mmCIF file of all heavy atoms in Angstrom:
data_model
loop_
_atom_site.group_PDB
_atom_site.id
_atom_site.type_symbol
_atom_site.label_atom_id
_atom_site.label_comp_id
_atom_site.label_asym_id
_atom_site.label_seq_id
_atom_site.Cartn_x
_atom_site.Cartn_y
_atom_site.Cartn_z
ATOM 1 N N ASP X 1 33.834 22.343 2.746
ATOM 2 C CA ASP X 1 33.654 20.851 2.528
ATOM 3 C C ASP X 1 35.005 20.233 2.313
ATOM 4 O O ASP X 1 35.758 20.588 1.355
ATOM 5 C CB ASP X 1 32.760 20.704 1.268
ATOM 6 C CG ASP X 1 32.503 19.181 1.009
ATOM 7 O OD1 ASP X 1 32.890 18.335 1.807
ATOM 8 O OD2 ASP X 1 31.846 18.901 -0.019
ATOM 9 N N PRO X 2 35.389 19.268 3.175
ATOM 10 C CA PRO X 2 36.723 18.659 3.008
ATOM 11 C C PRO X 2 36.754 17.674 1.839
ATOM 12 O O PRO X 2 37.866 17.188 1.487
ATOM 13 C CB PRO X 2 36.959 17.956 4.339
ATOM 14 C CG PRO X 2 35.555 17.656 4.853
ATOM 15 C CD PRO X 2 34.687 18.777 4.359
ATOM 16 N N PHE X 3 35.635 17.321 1.245
ATOM 17 C CA PHE X 3 35.621 16.409 0.145
ATOM 18 C C PHE X 3 34.872 16.979 -1.060
ATOM 19 O O PHE X 3 33.878 16.436 -1.510
ATOM 20 C CB PHE X 3 34.978 15.107 0.563
ATOM 21 C CG PHE X 3 35.321 14.641 1.960
ATOM 22 C CD1 PHE X 3 34.374 14.858 2.983
ATOM 23 C CD2 PHE X 3 36.545 14.116 2.284
ATOM 24 C CE1 PHE X 3 34.645 14.499 4.313
ATOM 25 C CE2 PHE X 3 36.857 13.784 3.576
ATOM 26 C CZ PHE X 3 35.922 13.955 4.606
ATOM 27 N N PRO X 4 35.319 18.121 -1.575
ATOM 28 C CA PRO X 4 34.533 18.765 -2.631
ATOM 29 C C PRO X 4 34.406 18.020 -3.961
ATOM 30 O O PRO X 4 33.454 18.218 -4.692
ATOM 31 C CB PRO X 4 35.300 20.104 -2.813
ATOM 32 C CG PRO X 4 36.705 19.805 -2.433
ATOM 33 C CD PRO X 4 36.551 18.823 -1.331
ATOM 34 N N ASP X 5 35.320 17.108 -4.153
ATOM 35 C CA ASP X 5 35.347 16.430 -5.459
ATOM 36 C C ASP X 5 34.832 14.993 -5.385
ATOM 37 O O ASP X 5 34.957 14.201 -6.358
ATOM 38 C CB ASP X 5 36.774 16.421 -6.071
ATOM 39 C CG ASP X 5 37.284 17.807 -6.314
ATOM 40 O OD1 ASP X 5 36.487 18.692 -6.756
ATOM 41 O OD2 ASP X 5 38.512 18.077 -6.043
ATOM 42 N N ASP X 6 34.257 14.625 -4.267
ATOM 43 C CA ASP X 6 33.733 13.262 -4.053
ATOM 44 C C ASP X 6 32.312 13.337 -3.622
ATOM 45 O O ASP X 6 32.030 13.567 -2.429
ATOM 46 C CB ASP X 6 34.611 12.500 -3.056
ATOM 47 C CG ASP X 6 34.317 11.036 -3.038
ATOM 48 O OD1 ASP X 6 33.264 10.621 -3.545
ATOM 49 O OD2 ASP X 6 35.156 10.259 -2.506
ATOM 50 N N GLU X 7 31.409 13.120 -4.561
ATOM 51 C CA GLU X 7 30.003 13.262 -4.260
ATOM 52 C C GLU X 7 29.501 12.159 -3.326
ATOM 53 O O GLU X 7 28.363 12.258 -2.814
ATOM 54 C CB GLU X 7 29.132 13.293 -5.562
ATOM 55 C CG GLU X 7 28.895 11.974 -6.177
ATOM 56 C CD GLU X 7 30.092 11.417 -6.967
ATOM 57 O OE1 GLU X 7 31.145 12.099 -7.043
ATOM 58 O OE2 GLU X 7 30.006 10.321 -7.563
ATOM 59 N N ARG X 8 30.301 11.121 -3.119
ATOM 60 C CA ARG X 8 29.862 10.051 -2.207
ATOM 61 C C ARG X 8 29.936 10.450 -0.742
ATOM 62 O O ARG X 8 29.185 9.906 0.065
ATOM 63 C CB ARG X 8 30.778 8.829 -2.407
ATOM 64 C CG ARG X 8 30.818 8.228 -3.804
ATOM 65 C CD ARG X 8 31.891 7.201 -3.836
ATOM 66 N NE ARG X 8 33.213 7.763 -3.490
ATOM 67 C CZ ARG X 8 34.302 7.032 -3.202
ATOM 68 N NH1 ARG X 8 34.204 5.713 -3.164
ATOM 69 N NH2 ARG X 8 35.432 7.627 -2.935
ATOM 70 N N LEU X 9 30.766 11.400 -0.392
ATOM 71 C CA LEU X 9 31.051 11.702 0.985
ATOM 72 C C LEU X 9 30.343 12.988 1.426
ATOM 73 O O LEU X 9 30.574 14.063 0.825
ATOM 74 C CB LEU X 9 32.590 11.828 1.180
ATOM 75 C CG LEU X 9 33.396 10.596 0.879
ATOM 76 C CD1 LEU X 9 34.907 10.884 1.126
ATOM 77 C CD2 LEU X 9 32.949 9.381 1.733
ATOM 78 N N LEU X 10 29.517 12.858 2.431
ATOM 79 C CA LEU X 10 28.809 13.997 3.023
ATOM 80 C C LEU X 10 29.377 14.179 4.425
ATOM 81 O O LEU X 10 30.104 13.366 4.993
ATOM 82 C CB LEU X 10 27.307 13.679 3.079
ATOM 83 C CG LEU X 10 26.666 13.280 1.704
ATOM 84 C CD1 LEU X 10 25.210 12.978 1.924
ATOM 85 C CD2 LEU X 10 26.862 14.343 0.648
ATOM 86 N N ASN X 11 28.964 15.326 5.011
ATOM 87 C CA ASN X 11 29.537 15.684 6.345
ATOM 88 C C ASN X 11 28.545 16.567 7.161
ATOM 89 O O ASN X 11 28.902 17.666 7.514
ATOM 90 C CB ASN X 11 30.880 16.373 6.176
ATOM 91 C CG ASN X 11 31.658 16.429 7.484
ATOM 92 O OD1 ASN X 11 31.597 15.550 8.379
ATOM 93 N ND2 ASN X 11 32.424 17.534 7.687
ATOM 94 N N PHE X 12 27.368 16.083 7.362
ATOM 95 C CA PHE X 12 26.301 16.939 7.984
ATOM 96 C C PHE X 12 25.941 16.416 9.355
ATOM 97 O O PHE X 12 26.025 15.214 9.661
ATOM 98 C CB PHE X 12 25.022 16.934 7.072
ATOM 99 C CG PHE X 12 24.374 15.633 6.928
ATOM 100 C CD1 PHE X 12 23.335 15.251 7.756
ATOM 101 C CD2 PHE X 12 24.782 14.755 5.852
ATOM 102 C CE1 PHE X 12 22.725 13.997 7.573
ATOM 103 C CE2 PHE X 12 24.074 13.542 5.709
ATOM 104 C CZ PHE X 12 23.111 13.171 6.564
ATOM 105 N N ASN X 13 25.603 17.350 10.210
ATOM 106 C CA ASN X 13 25.263 16.952 11.612
ATOM 107 C C ASN X 13 23.770 16.976 11.896
ATOM 108 O O ASN X 13 23.312 16.456 12.919
ATOM 109 C CB ASN X 13 25.918 18.006 12.566
ATOM 110 C CG ASN X 13 25.231 19.381 12.461
ATOM 111 O OD1 ASN X 13 24.952 19.880 11.352
ATOM 112 N ND2 ASN X 13 25.029 20.035 13.575
ATOM 113 N N GLY X 14 22.934 17.581 11.067
ATOM 114 C CA GLY X 14 21.525 17.716 11.373
ATOM 115 C C GLY X 14 20.700 16.486 11.102
ATOM 116 O O GLY X 14 21.220 15.482 10.552
ATOM 117 N N PRO X 15 19.438 16.517 11.433
ATOM 118 C CA PRO X 15 18.559 15.399 11.135
ATOM 119 C C PRO X 15 18.293 15.239 9.641
ATOM 120 O O PRO X 15 18.418 16.208 8.866
ATOM 121 C CB PRO X 15 17.245 15.755 11.835
ATOM 122 C CG PRO X 15 17.253 17.254 11.880
ATOM 123 C CD PRO X 15 18.771 17.669 12.004
ATOM 124 N N SER X 16 18.012 14.015 9.175
ATOM 125 C CA SER X 16 17.715 13.751 7.805
ATOM 126 C C SER X 16 16.566 12.744 7.711
ATOM 127 O O SER X 16 16.784 11.584 8.034
ATOM 128 C CB SER X 16 18.984 13.244 7.085
ATOM 129 O OG SER X 16 18.651 12.875 5.772
ATOM 130 N N ARG X 17 15.415 13.200 7.321
ATOM 131 C CA ARG X 17 14.330 12.262 7.166
ATOM 132 C C ARG X 17 13.361 12.776 6.098
ATOM 133 O O ARG X 17 13.203 14.004 5.929
ATOM 134 C CB ARG X 17 13.554 12.021 8.425
ATOM 135 C CG ARG X 17 12.973 13.210 9.150
ATOM 136 C CD ARG X 17 12.258 12.825 10.462
ATOM 137 N NE ARG X 17 11.730 13.969 11.124
ATOM 138 C CZ ARG X 17 12.368 14.714 12.006
ATOM 139 N NH1 ARG X 17 13.612 14.428 12.350
ATOM 140 N NH2 ARG X 17 11.731 15.793 12.543
ATOM 141 N N ASN X 18 12.763 11.812 5.398
ATOM 142 C CA ASN X 18 11.824 12.125 4.340
ATOM 143 C C ASN X 18 10.619 11.216 4.555
ATOM 144 O O ASN X 18 10.343 10.305 3.824
ATOM 145 C CB ASN X 18 12.447 11.885 2.960
ATOM 146 C CG ASN X 18 11.587 12.362 1.816
ATOM 147 O OD1 ASN X 18 10.754 13.288 1.943
ATOM 148 N ND2 ASN X 18 11.666 11.675 0.702
ATOM 149 N N HIS X 19 9.884 11.484 5.624
ATOM 150 C CA HIS X 19 8.830 10.628 6.097
ATOM 151 C C HIS X 19 7.461 11.101 5.650
ATOM 152 O O HIS X 19 7.192 12.301 5.705
ATOM 153 C CB HIS X 19 8.848 10.505 7.646
ATOM 154 C CG HIS X 19 10.055 9.868 8.171
ATOM 155 N ND1 HIS X 19 10.296 9.668 9.481
ATOM 156 C CD2 HIS X 19 11.197 9.359 7.550
ATOM 157 C CE1 HIS X 19 11.439 9.079 9.716
ATOM 158 N NE2 HIS X 19 12.022 8.927 8.533
ATOM 159 N N SER X 20 6.646 10.198 5.254
ATOM 160 C CA SER X 20 5.269 10.539 4.870
ATOM 161 C C SER X 20 4.374 9.378 4.968
ATOM 162 O O SER X 20 4.790 8.218 4.893
ATOM 163 C CB SER X 20 5.255 11.095 3.429
ATOM 164 O OG SER X 20 5.617 10.073 2.513
ATOM 165 N N ASP X 21 3.091 9.630 5.191
ATOM 166 C CA ASP X 21 2.010 8.647 5.209
ATOM 167 C C ASP X 21 0.874 9.185 4.354
ATOM 168 O O ASP X 21 0.529 10.376 4.396
ATOM 169 C CB ASP X 21 1.493 8.370 6.591
ATOM 170 C CG ASP X 21 2.588 7.754 7.499
ATOM 171 O OD1 ASP X 21 2.799 6.560 7.386
ATOM 172 O OD2 ASP X 21 3.176 8.481 8.291
ATOM 173 N N ASN X 22 0.260 8.367 3.567
ATOM 174 C CA ASN X 22 -0.779 8.742 2.656
ATOM 175 C C ASN X 22 -1.849 7.659 2.563
ATOM 176 O O ASN X 22 -1.512 6.464 2.487
ATOM 177 C CB ASN X 22 -0.203 8.975 1.254
ATOM 178 C CG ASN X 22 -1.215 9.277 0.188
ATOM 179 O OD1 ASN X 22 -1.341 8.587 -0.803
ATOM 180 N ND2 ASN X 22 -2.043 10.262 0.380
ATOM 181 N N VAL X 23 -3.102 8.052 2.591
ATOM 182 C CA VAL X 23 -4.225 7.160 2.346
ATOM 183 C C VAL X 23 -5.164 7.827 1.362
ATOM 184 O O VAL X 23 -5.256 9.036 1.319
ATOM 185 C CB VAL X 23 -5.002 6.811 3.660
ATOM 186 C CG1 VAL X 23 -4.139 6.045 4.608
ATOM 187 C CG2 VAL X 23 -5.543 8.024 4.372
ATOM 188 N N PHE X 24 -5.808 7.079 0.477
ATOM 189 C CA PHE X 24 -6.717 7.583 -0.440
ATOM 190 C C PHE X 24 -7.870 6.616 -0.716
ATOM 191 O O PHE X 24 -7.702 5.397 -0.614
ATOM 192 C CB PHE X 24 -6.035 7.989 -1.764
ATOM 193 C CG PHE X 24 -5.396 6.863 -2.457
ATOM 194 C CD1 PHE X 24 -6.097 6.157 -3.472
ATOM 195 C CD2 PHE X 24 -4.097 6.443 -2.207
ATOM 196 C CE1 PHE X 24 -5.450 5.076 -4.169
ATOM 197 C CE2 PHE X 24 -3.481 5.401 -2.862
ATOM 198 C CZ PHE X 24 -4.169 4.686 -3.850
ATOM 199 N N VAL X 25 -9.042 7.183 -1.114
ATOM 200 C CA VAL X 25 -10.167 6.389 -1.452
ATOM 201 C C VAL X 25 -10.819 7.057 -2.693
ATOM 202 O O VAL X 25 -11.073 8.256 -2.651
ATOM 203 C CB VAL X 25 -11.217 6.392 -0.302
ATOM 204 C CG1 VAL X 25 -12.454 5.533 -0.692
ATOM 205 C CG2 VAL X 25 -10.604 5.838 0.985
ATOM 206 N N ASN X 26 -10.983 6.285 -3.735
ATOM 207 C CA ASN X 26 -11.637 6.774 -4.949
ATOM 208 C C ASN X 26 -12.858 5.914 -5.267
ATOM 209 O O ASN X 26 -12.807 4.650 -5.074
ATOM 210 C CB ASN X 26 -10.695 6.729 -6.145
ATOM 211 C CG ASN X 26 -9.469 7.603 -5.986
ATOM 212 O OD1 ASN X 26 -9.490 8.511 -5.161
ATOM 213 N ND2 ASN X 26 -8.428 7.323 -6.687
ATOM 214 N N PHE X 27 -13.912 6.542 -5.740
ATOM 215 C CA PHE X 27 -15.085 5.778 -6.166
ATOM 216 C C PHE X 27 -15.472 6.283 -7.571
ATOM 217 O O PHE X 27 -15.666 7.475 -7.757
ATOM 218 C CB PHE X 27 -16.234 5.937 -5.208
ATOM 219 C CG PHE X 27 -17.475 5.162 -5.589
ATOM 220 C CD1 PHE X 27 -17.536 3.777 -5.448
ATOM 221 C CD2 PHE X 27 -18.570 5.835 -6.137
ATOM 222 C CE1 PHE X 27 -18.659 3.063 -5.863
ATOM 223 C CE2 PHE X 27 -19.704 5.098 -6.556
ATOM 224 C CZ PHE X 27 -19.748 3.734 -6.401
ATOM 225 N N VAL X 28 -15.578 5.365 -8.533
ATOM 226 C CA VAL X 28 -15.952 5.695 -9.895
ATOM 227 C C VAL X 28 -17.193 4.938 -10.251
ATOM 228 O O VAL X 28 -17.254 3.667 -10.136
ATOM 229 C CB VAL X 28 -14.793 5.368 -10.845
ATOM 230 C CG1 VAL X 28 -15.231 5.704 -12.327
ATOM 231 C CG2 VAL X 28 -13.539 6.118 -10.500
ATOM 232 N N ALA X 29 -18.208 5.592 -10.719
ATOM 233 C CA ALA X 29 -19.446 4.985 -11.198
ATOM 234 C C ALA X 29 -19.671 5.424 -12.621
ATOM 235 O O ALA X 29 -19.591 6.588 -12.972
ATOM 236 C CB ALA X 29 -20.625 5.420 -10.288
ATOM 237 N N GLN X 30 -20.034 4.426 -13.440
ATOM 238 C CA GLN X 30 -20.067 4.709 -14.915
ATOM 239 C C GLN X 30 -21.150 3.824 -15.522
ATOM 240 O O GLN X 30 -21.328 2.639 -15.196
ATOM 241 C CB GLN X 30 -18.714 4.403 -15.458
ATOM 242 C CG GLN X 30 -18.564 4.116 -16.884
ATOM 243 C CD GLN X 30 -17.113 3.967 -17.324
ATOM 244 O OE1 GLN X 30 -16.198 4.618 -16.739
ATOM 245 N NE2 GLN X 30 -16.830 3.128 -18.269
ATOM 246 N N HIS X 31 -21.913 4.414 -16.453
ATOM 247 C CA HIS X 31 -23.002 3.723 -17.101
ATOM 248 C C HIS X 31 -23.161 4.272 -18.505
ATOM 249 O O HIS X 31 -23.236 5.525 -18.752
ATOM 250 C CB HIS X 31 -24.293 3.854 -16.329
ATOM 251 C CG HIS X 31 -25.443 3.158 -16.924
ATOM 252 N ND1 HIS X 31 -25.612 1.743 -16.848
ATOM 253 C CD2 HIS X 31 -26.544 3.568 -17.600
ATOM 254 C CE1 HIS X 31 -26.716 1.385 -17.447
ATOM 255 N NE2 HIS X 31 -27.301 2.463 -17.946
ATOM 256 N N ASP X 32 -23.313 3.356 -19.516
ATOM 257 C CA ASP X 32 -23.558 3.731 -20.903
ATOM 258 C C ASP X 32 -25.073 3.682 -21.182
ATOM 259 O O ASP X 32 -25.707 2.790 -20.691
ATOM 260 C CB ASP X 32 -22.792 2.794 -21.832
ATOM 261 C CG ASP X 32 -21.296 2.833 -21.590
ATOM 262 O OD1 ASP X 32 -20.794 3.845 -21.110
ATOM 263 O OD2 ASP X 32 -20.642 1.750 -21.844
ATOM 264 N N PHE X 33 -25.498 4.610 -22.034
ATOM 265 C CA PHE X 33 -26.915 4.649 -22.335
ATOM 266 C C PHE X 33 -27.054 5.040 -23.834
ATOM 267 O O PHE X 33 -27.270 6.217 -24.143
ATOM 268 C CB PHE X 33 -27.634 5.671 -21.434
ATOM 269 C CG PHE X 33 -29.123 5.571 -21.455
ATOM 270 C CD1 PHE X 33 -29.778 4.582 -20.776
ATOM 271 C CD2 PHE X 33 -29.886 6.532 -22.168
ATOM 272 C CE1 PHE X 33 -31.121 4.521 -20.759
ATOM 273 C CE2 PHE X 33 -31.234 6.460 -22.205
ATOM 274 C CZ PHE X 33 -31.874 5.458 -21.501
ATOM 275 N N GLY X 34 -26.868 4.063 -24.723
ATOM 276 C CA GLY X 34 -26.867 4.359 -26.144
ATOM 277 C C GLY X 34 -25.678 5.272 -26.491
ATOM 278 O O GLY X 34 -24.556 4.961 -26.129
ATOM 279 N N ASP X 35 -25.970 6.356 -27.165
ATOM 280 C CA ASP X 35 -24.864 7.339 -27.506
ATOM 281 C C ASP X 35 -24.506 8.179 -26.289
ATOM 282 O O ASP X 35 -23.494 8.950 -26.388
ATOM 283 C CB ASP X 35 -25.335 8.203 -28.680
ATOM 284 C CG ASP X 35 -25.464 7.452 -29.998
ATOM 285 O OD1 ASP X 35 -24.900 6.368 -30.121
ATOM 286 O OD2 ASP X 35 -26.245 7.874 -30.818
ATOM 287 N N TRP X 36 -25.294 8.139 -25.282
ATOM 288 C CA TRP X 36 -25.034 8.968 -24.097
ATOM 289 C C TRP X 36 -24.358 8.163 -22.993
ATOM 290 O O TRP X 36 -24.482 6.962 -22.904
ATOM 291 C CB TRP X 36 -26.367 9.527 -23.554
ATOM 292 C CG TRP X 36 -27.008 10.531 -24.500
ATOM 293 C CD1 TRP X 36 -27.876 10.224 -25.500
ATOM 294 C CD2 TRP X 36 -26.819 11.935 -24.516
ATOM 295 N NE1 TRP X 36 -28.261 11.361 -26.194
ATOM 296 C CE2 TRP X 36 -27.610 12.431 -25.569
ATOM 297 C CE3 TRP X 36 -26.094 12.807 -23.740
ATOM 298 C CZ2 TRP X 36 -27.648 13.792 -25.890
ATOM 299 C CZ3 TRP X 36 -26.153 14.178 -24.054
ATOM 300 C CH2 TRP X 36 -26.908 14.679 -25.082
ATOM 301 N N SER X 37 -23.635 8.905 -22.151
ATOM 302 C CA SER X 37 -22.997 8.278 -21.030
ATOM 303 C C SER X 37 -22.882 9.299 -19.918
ATOM 304 O O SER X 37 -22.861 10.513 -20.089
ATOM 305 C CB SER X 37 -21.555 7.813 -21.379
ATOM 306 O OG SER X 37 -21.501 7.110 -22.582
ATOM 307 N N VAL X 38 -22.822 8.751 -18.656
ATOM 308 C CA VAL X 38 -22.587 9.633 -17.504
ATOM 309 C C VAL X 38 -21.630 8.948 -16.592
ATOM 310 O O VAL X 38 -21.571 7.709 -16.525
ATOM 311 C CB VAL X 38 -23.892 9.957 -16.739
ATOM 312 C CG1 VAL X 38 -24.484 8.757 -16.093
ATOM 313 C CG2 VAL X 38 -23.633 11.070 -15.736
ATOM 314 N N ARG X 39 -20.785 9.752 -15.924
ATOM 315 C CA ARG X 39 -19.767 9.206 -15.097
ATOM 316 C C ARG X 39 -19.525 10.083 -13.837
ATOM 317 O O ARG X 39 -19.631 11.282 -13.932
ATOM 318 C CB ARG X 39 -18.436 9.149 -15.899
ATOM 319 C CG ARG X 39 -17.304 8.360 -15.215
ATOM 320 C CD ARG X 39 -16.094 8.369 -16.077
ATOM 321 N NE ARG X 39 -15.119 7.407 -15.612
ATOM 322 C CZ ARG X 39 -13.815 7.583 -15.654
ATOM 323 N NH1 ARG X 39 -13.300 8.718 -16.169
ATOM 324 N NH2 ARG X 39 -12.940 6.652 -15.247
ATOM 325 N N SER X 40 -19.317 9.452 -12.718
ATOM 326 C CA SER X 40 -19.046 10.148 -11.495
ATOM 327 C C SER X 40 -17.736 9.713 -10.896
ATOM 328 O O SER X 40 -17.411 8.521 -10.876
ATOM 329 C CB SER X 40 -20.163 9.856 -10.450
ATOM 330 O OG SER X 40 -19.818 10.306 -9.176
ATOM 331 N N LEU X 41 -16.891 10.701 -10.512
ATOM 332 C CA LEU X 41 -15.609 10.404 -9.861
ATOM 333 C C LEU X 41 -15.580 11.097 -8.522
ATOM 334 O O LEU X 41 -15.686 12.297 -8.456
ATOM 335 C CB LEU X 41 -14.463 10.900 -10.742
ATOM 336 C CG LEU X 41 -14.348 10.276 -12.145
ATOM 337 C CD1 LEU X 41 -14.839 11.231 -13.202
ATOM 338 C CD2 LEU X 41 -12.880 9.927 -12.467
ATOM 339 N N THR X 42 -15.408 10.342 -7.474
ATOM 340 C CA THR X 42 -15.320 10.873 -6.104
ATOM 341 C C THR X 42 -13.965 10.461 -5.523
ATOM 342 O O THR X 42 -13.542 9.299 -5.647
ATOM 343 C CB THR X 42 -16.441 10.287 -5.258
ATOM 344 O OG1 THR X 42 -17.708 10.503 -5.901
ATOM 345 C CG2 THR X 42 -16.442 10.943 -3.843
ATOM 346 N N GLY X 43 -13.295 11.447 -4.895
ATOM 347 C CA GLY X 43 -11.951 11.113 -4.347
ATOM 348 C C GLY X 43 -11.682 11.801 -3.036
ATOM 349 O O GLY X 43 -12.169 12.923 -2.756
ATOM 350 N N TYR X 44 -11.031 11.034 -2.204
ATOM 351 C CA TYR X 44 -10.555 11.519 -0.860
ATOM 352 C C TYR X 44 -9.096 11.187 -0.694
ATOM 353 O O TYR X 44 -8.654 10.068 -1.019
ATOM 354 C CB TYR X 44 -11.407 10.899 0.239
ATOM 355 C CG TYR X 44 -10.796 11.166 1.635
ATOM 356 C CD1 TYR X 44 -10.950 12.400 2.238
ATOM 357 C CD2 TYR X 44 -10.030 10.195 2.298
ATOM 358 C CE1 TYR X 44 -10.389 12.651 3.454
ATOM 359 C CE2 TYR X 44 -9.467 10.431 3.560
ATOM 360 C CZ TYR X 44 -9.661 11.715 4.132
ATOM 361 O OH TYR X 44 -9.129 11.965 5.387
ATOM 362 N N ASP X 45 -8.329 12.134 -0.235
ATOM 363 C CA ASP X 45 -6.878 11.880 -0.062
ATOM 364 C C ASP X 45 -6.395 12.594 1.186
ATOM 365 O O ASP X 45 -6.788 13.714 1.504
ATOM 366 C CB ASP X 45 -6.128 12.403 -1.281
ATOM 367 C CG ASP X 45 -4.640 12.167 -1.215
ATOM 368 O OD1 ASP X 45 -3.919 12.863 -0.460
ATOM 369 O OD2 ASP X 45 -4.159 11.240 -1.937
ATOM 370 N N LYS X 46 -5.590 11.908 1.992
ATOM 371 C CA LYS X 46 -5.003 12.481 3.185
ATOM 372 C C LYS X 46 -3.515 12.139 3.249
ATOM 373 O O LYS X 46 -3.093 11.003 2.973
ATOM 374 C CB LYS X 46 -5.669 11.965 4.504
ATOM 375 C CG LYS X 46 -5.030 12.430 5.750
ATOM 376 C CD LYS X 46 -5.819 12.028 7.002
ATOM 377 C CE LYS X 46 -5.064 12.358 8.259
ATOM 378 N NZ LYS X 46 -4.646 13.785 8.315
ATOM 379 N N SER X 47 -2.673 13.129 3.568
ATOM 380 C CA SER X 47 -1.272 12.934 3.663
ATOM 381 C C SER X 47 -0.723 13.637 4.886
ATOM 382 O O SER X 47 -1.208 14.680 5.323
ATOM 383 C CB SER X 47 -0.557 13.478 2.420
ATOM 384 O OG SER X 47 -0.688 14.886 2.327
#
C-alpha cells in the first residue's frame, strides 16, 4: 500500500457494490377479552 498512514486513500481495482432490495409484509391481529387476550403475527420477507 503506497499510502499506509492515510486512511482516506484507497487503491483497488476490483468492483465495489453493496446492493440490495427488500420487501416485507406484516399482518397483526389483536383482540382483548376481559383478562384474556389473543394475538396473531404473520410476516413475509424477501431480500
Side-chain angles (χ1 to χ4, degrees):
D1 182 5
F3 322 103
D5 299 321
D6 192 340
E7 79 283 358
R8 301 172 301 165
L9 299 180
L10 307 177
N11 193 35
F12 63 93
N13 69 317
S16 175
R17 59 181 180 270
N18 187 30
H19 295 181
S20 65
D21 296 282
N22 172 239
V23 295
F24 61 92
V25 180
N26 298 340
F27 181 75
V28 179
Q30 159 174 329
H31 181 75
D32 301 332
F33 193 78
D35 294 337
W36 293 88
S37 312
V38 66
R39 192 180 192 215
S40 169
L41 300 102
T42 307
Y44 169 78
D45 184 281
K46 176 175 172 51
S47 64

